[in-house]
Amino acid sequence: MSIIPALCRAGEWEKQVRLGRLAGAVAALVLAAIPGSPAAAAGTYPPGVTVDTMRIASAGTAAVAAGGAHSCMITSLGDVYCWGNDSSGQLGDGARRHGFAEPVKALRNAVRADAGRAHTCAIDTGGTAYCWGDDSAGQLGDGAHTDRDAPHPVEALRGRTLVMIATGSRHTCAADDEGAAWCWGDGSRGQLGVPGTSRSATPVRVRTGGRTDEIVDIAAGGDTTCVATAGGSVYCWGADPAGGEERSAPAAVTTGGKVREVAAGGRQACALDADGAAYCWGATARRAGPFAAISAGAAHACGIDRGGRAYCWGDGGGDGGGGGRLGHGRTAGRTAPTGVEVDAELTGIDAGSAHSCAVDARGYTFCWGSGADGQLGAGGTAFSAVPVRVEGLPRAPAAATGVQVRALDGGLRVSWRPPADLGSGQFEYVWVTTAGHEAGCTLPALTAQGCDLTGLRNGQEYDVAVVVKTSDGMRVGDFVTATPVAVAPDPLGAAPPRRELQPGAGGGLPLTGLSPVALVAIGTMLLGGGLVALLVRAPQSPAPRRGTVRRRP
C-alpha cells in the first residue's frame, strides 16, 4: 500500500537524468539505478526553492497511500499529509489537536511514504527512513517498542541511502540504493524474510540472491512481503496470499514475464511486467491490464491504465460500513477490473484495507470505500461507493504551456504561456533555468511570457525548464533542448537584443518547425544567393533552431 511517485514510472528516466543536473546531488537518491547519473550543479536557487524541493517537484504530481483506517499523500513540495484514524499516532502531527478527517502535516522533504494498518513510514531526500504510529511489534524500527505520534528516524539504517519503503500490518521493509532489502517488526509468519526471526525491533538484512537480484521494487501488505529484482524476477515471503505454506525466506514466484513492479495486500499480491500486464494471485487471482501502475489492498486490487483511467476488482465490502472500496458506484464485488467512477486523469492509486485513494493530474486527491474513521477526508463517517474529493490538501500549480526556445549568440530566448491553473496557492514567480544551472531568470509577474538566458556557450546543448512556484506547490515543466549559435556581427556595432520580454512579446521557435537538415539547406541557399546584404539592411534575430521536448508519457 505504498506511495509510488510518477518519476519511477516507465518513460520518466530521461527527464530525471536532466533534473539530476538541475537538482544536484539529491538526484542520486531516486536515480541510483541509472549508471552514470550527472554530477551536481552549483548555483543559487530563488526564494523557497532548494535542491530538495526541486528534486521532489520533478515528480510532477502528488502521490497517495491508503492504510488500515488512515490515508496519506505527498505534495509536490515533499510535505506528507495524513488523515483518518489516529489511535496510535499514525497521522504524525504530534500532540496537536485537529479536526475529524482533517489532513495534518507529518513530515517535510519526503520522496516516498507508505501507510500500514496503524503505522506510517516515509523516506526523505537524504535517504533516511522515518516511522510513526503503532510500535507493538517493533514496526517503527527504532528498538523502543513505543508508539510515536511524530516521525522518528530508523537509526540503525543511518549511513545507508534508502530509496523504497513498504509497510504491512505490523512490519516494515525498505530497499537501499545498492539493491539490498531490510525488514523489521512482526515476523511471526516469516514476513521479515530471515529464517528463525519471529520479531525484530531493528532492521534485519534480507537475502534474495546474488548481484543480479538487486531489488528495484518492494511491497508489503498484511503479513506478506514481495520484491521485484533487476532481472525481472519476483520473490515473496511470509504468508502466502493464495493460502499455501508460509515461507520465512524469499521464494521465487513464476509470473510469466519480466516484472518491474509488485504489490502486496492482506489476501493477494500482484506483479506488473514491463509491458503493463498484471498477474495477481490469492483473493483477486487473475491476469489483467495493460496498466501503468497497480496496487493491492486487503481483499481488492486497483490499477491505472496509460490513459489515466482507474479500475478495481475483488471484494466490494458489501452493504456494511466497509462497502464501496471498488469505486464503481455499488458495494458488490467484481471478478474483473471495473472502471472507477471519477471524471479525472489519474496519476496514482493505492488500495487500503477497506478503502482506496487516488490522485489526478491536477493534484486533487480522491478516496472511496469505508469512511468510519475519517479516512476518506470528506468530514463524515459514511462510506462512499464513488470517489469523493479530500478537502484541505494543498495543490500544486499547472505547468506553463507552449514553451518555445530561440537561439541567440551566447544565449537562448525562452517564451511560454502562463499556467491556466494555479492550484490552491498564491502565485509567487516563474523561474526559467538551464538544467546545469548555467543561466536563469526569475519573474515575479504571472503575465510574464519570456526572458533571455545569457552567458551561455555557443555550440553547446542546454536543457531548459520553466518552473512555476506558488505558496502551495511547484511545477517543473517539460525540458526543451536548444543550442546557442554565433551570428555575423552587425556592421553598425549594435549588439543583439537581450532583454526581458514583455507580456505578449514572447516570440520563439515552434517545436514543430523545420528539421535541422532543412534549415541547413535553406541557410546555404540564402548565403549562396547573395542575400546577406538584405540581412544587413534589415537586422533580424538569428535564425532559430528547433528545440526538442522531453515529455512525460
Side-chain angles (χ1 to χ4, degrees):
M1 304 177 192
S2 66
I3 293 179
I4 304 175
L7 59 88
C8 294
R9 301 295 178 212
E12 284 293 292
W13 296 118
E14 185 171 5
K15 180 179 179 183
Q16 298 312 313
V17 169
R18 298 169 187 278
L19 277 162
R21 304 187 204 128
L22 184 62
V26 183
L29 176 61
V30 184
L31 294 180
I34 303 176
S37 296
T44 302
Y45 292 92
V49 178
T50 66
V51 168
D52 289 348
T53 56
M54 195 66 206
R55 188 69 191 90
I56 297 163
S58 70
T61 58
V64 68
H70 73 294
S71 310
C72 298
M73 64 91 71
I74 300 178
T75 72
S76 66
L77 294 178
D79 294 331
V80 177
Y81 283 81
C82 296
W83 58 97
N85 189 295
D86 197 26
S87 59
S88 298
Q90 59 263 48
L91 300 190
D93 66 334
R96 291 186 294 274
R97 299 183 63 178
H98 56 264
F100 181 78
E102 175 189 351
V104 296
K105 186 186 295 187
L107 186 68
R108 299 181 63 86
N109 294 329
V111 294
R112 289 267 184 150
D114 198 11
R117 186 178 71 179
H119 75 293
T120 310
C121 293
I123 298 174
D124 71 5
T125 52
T128 299
Y130 293 82
C131 292
W132 58 97
D134 176 28
D135 196 30
S136 58
Q139 59 263 49
L140 302 190
D142 58 10
H145 288 286
T146 301
D147 293 358
R148 297 187 182 275
D149 60 9
H152 192 269
V154 181
E155 294 290 354
L157 293 178
R158 289 275 196 181
R160 291 188 174 272
T161 301
L162 301 181
V163 295
M164 289 171 281
I165 198 159
T167 55
S169 286
R170 296 201 304 157
H171 76 291
T172 307
C173 294
D176 63 27
D177 62 348
E178 296 179 353
W182 307 81
C183 292
W184 57 95
D186 180 22
S188 59
R189 304 188 68 182
Q191 58 266 51
L192 300 187
V194 179
T197 304
S198 61
R199 177 176 293 192
S200 178
T202 56
V204 293
R205 174 78 179 267
V206 182
R207 305 287 180 179
T208 58
R211 183 169 179 79
T212 58
D213 285 322
E214 291 179 350
I215 292 168
V216 296
D217 195 26
I218 190 165
D223 297 323
T224 304
T225 309
C226 294
V227 297
T229 70
S233 300
V234 174
Y235 294 88
C236 293
W237 56 94
D240 182 0
E245 181 183 356
E246 296 175 357
R247 295 184 179 274
S248 60
V253 177
T254 301
T255 63
K258 294 290 186 181
V259 172
R260 61 178 173 85
E261 183 181 327
V262 288
R267 291 166 46 197
Q268 79 282 312
C270 298
L272 193 67
D273 71 18
D275 296 322
Y279 167 67
C280 297
W281 61 101
T284 60
R286 69 171 298 108
R287 294 188 180 274
F291 292 126
I294 197 167
S295 178
H300 71 294
C302 297
I304 298 178
D305 68 15
R306 293 186 175 94
R309 295 175 294 272
Y311 300 84
C312 294
W313 64 99
D315 182 3
D319 293 327
R325 66 193 70 169
L326 303 186
H328 59 70
R330 299 186 179 183
T331 58
R334 292 286 188 270
T335 58
T338 304
V340 175
E341 293 189 2
V342 58
D343 185 18
E345 179 189 349
L346 301 181
T347 58
I349 197 166
D350 201 43
S353 291
H355 75 294
S356 308
C357 294
V359 63
D360 72 8
R362 301 166 298 171
Y364 287 113
T365 299
F366 302 87
C367 293
W368 58 95
S370 174
D373 292 282
Q375 61 264 51
L376 302 188
T381 60
F383 74 89
S384 177
V386 294
V388 293
R389 186 184 297 177
V390 179
E391 302 297 335
L393 290 173
R395 191 167 62 87
T401 60
V403 178
Q404 301 176 10
V405 178
R406 183 172 182 170
L408 300 176
D409 184 0
L412 297 170
R413 176 163 293 174
V414 186
S415 64
W416 62 89
R417 292 189 297 274
D421 179 11
L422 289 179
S424 60
Q426 295 294 316
F427 173 79
E428 293 183 352
Y429 54 78
V430 174
W431 178 39
V432 184
T433 182
T434 57
H437 220 18
E438 298 88 350
C441 58
T442 304
L443 308 174
L446 177 60
T447 54
Q449 297 182 48
C451 71
D452 289 354
L453 303 180
T454 61
L456 303 178
R457 296 180 58 182
N458 290 334
Q460 178 175 324
E461 278 194 347
Y462 293 90
D463 301 318
V464 179
V466 177
V467 181
V468 180
K469 175 72 169 62
T470 70
S471 57
D472 278 352
M474 185 167 64
R475 184 77 68 181
V476 182
D478 293 320
F479 280 99
V480 177
T481 302
T483 306
V485 295
V487 296
D490 191 309
L492 302 179
R498 288 186 177 87
R499 57 182 176 83
E500 178 181 321
L501 302 183
Q502 300 304 312
L509 178 66
L511 301 178
T512 56
L514 296 173
S515 69
V517 173
L519 289 174
V520 170
I522 292 173
T524 302
M525 287 188 293
L526 287 173
L527 293 175
L531 293 179
V532 176
L534 271 177
L535 297 177
V536 171
R537 287 198 299 271
Q540 302 178 20
S541 298
R545 174 171 179 168
R546 183 166 69 97
T548 57
V549 179
R550 302 294 184 262
R551 298 191 182 277
R552 299 188 186 93

